[in-house]
Amino acid sequence: MSGDGTGRAVLFDVDGTLVDTTYLHTVAWWEALRRSGRRVPMSVIHRTIGMGSDQLLARFLGEDHDPDEAASVSASHHDLYAEYWPRLAPLDGAAELLRACADRGWTVVLASSARGDELDAMRRAVDADEVVTAATSSDDVEASKPAPDLVRSALDHARTTPDRAVFVGDTVWDVAACGRAGVPCVGVLSGGITRQELEEAGAAEVYENPADLLAHLDDSLLARASDRD
C-alpha cells in the first residue's frame, strides 16, 4: 500500500459476510423487542440486519420513538447477542479469503455496522488479524449503513479512493452504502439475502459465500479491478 491513494483495497463487511451471525442478531433483536412489548416477526427483522441499529430501531419503534425505549432495546440486544460471542463461528473460507487478498498485495479493511466490542468478538472468531490493515465500526461514524459513512471511513483507513476499492458484503444495505460512496460491491449469499435482491440493489457480482469467492478470486471483480493498474 503506497499511502498516496494509488493502492488497491478490499473492504469487507463482517456480520453475515465473514462470520455466521445474521440469524443470531435476528433472534437477539426479536427477544429485545419483545421485552419492550414489541412483537416483530423474525422474517421482518432478518430483512433489516446489516443496517445500523439506530436505523433498525427507527424502523421498528417509529421515527419519533422514545429515546429511552430505544436505548433499552439496544442494550437488551447487546446483552443477548454477547451471550453468543464465545461461540461465534467464521463462515467457510473467511480467514483464507482475507489472507489471499493480502497475499495479492491488496489492503484489507473491515467495515462493520456493529459496535466496536461486537466487531472485536467477530475478529477473534475469524482469527486473521495479521492481514487486516484496519477496521471501522459504527462507533467511528455518525451515520450507519445504508449511509455511505462506513464505506468512506474504510477508504480513509485504506488511504485509497473509491475507484481503487471493492467492497464485499451480504446485504442490500451494504450495496446501497457502496453505491452512495461510489465503490463497487461484490455480494455473498451467506447472510440469507437472495441473489436477485443483491443484484437488483446493484451488486456487481454475487457468490455463495467467502469460500466460493475465494475459489473464483482470480476471475472476480477484485482481481479484474487490480488488473487495470
Side-chain angles (χ1 to χ4, degrees), residues 90-102:
L91 288 154
D92 288 346
E96 295 82 358
L97 176 59
L98 297 185
R99 294 188 180 110
C101 289

Side-chain angles (χ1 to χ4, degrees), residues 105-117:
W106 308 333
T107 299
V108 175
V109 176
L110 307 182
S112 172
S113 289
R115 289 170 36 158
D117 55 353

Side-chain angles (χ1 to χ4, degrees), residues 103-209:
D103 286 346
R104 286 157 174 77
W106 308 333
T107 299
V108 175
V109 176
L110 307 182
S112 172
S113 289
R115 289 170 36 158
D117 55 353
E118 294 174 358
L119 178 56
D120 289 343
M122 291 188 289
R123 292 178 70 169
R124 289 192 295 271
V126 175
D127 193 23
D129 262 4
E130 75 278 4
V131 298
V132 175
T133 296
T136 186
S137 72
S138 62
D139 292 348
D140 304 317
V141 297
E142 291 186 8
S144 56
K145 300 172 191 172
D149 299 37
L150 273 166
V151 182
R152 291 172 178 162
S153 177
L155 289 171
D156 289 343
H157 282 294
R159 299 176 67 186
T160 195
T161 53
D163 60 311
R164 303 188 67 79
V166 176
F167 191 99
V168 182
D170 68 299
T171 72
V172 296
W173 316 116
D174 292 319
V175 182
C178 288
R180 294 171 183 175
V183 176
C185 185
V186 170
V188 289
L189 302 177
S190 42
I193 303 302
T194 67
R195 181 182 302 273
Q196 180 178 348
E197 289 171 297
L198 292 172
E199 290 176 343
E200 288 180 351
E205 295 177 343
V206 180
Y207 296 88
E208 289 292 329
N209 49 38

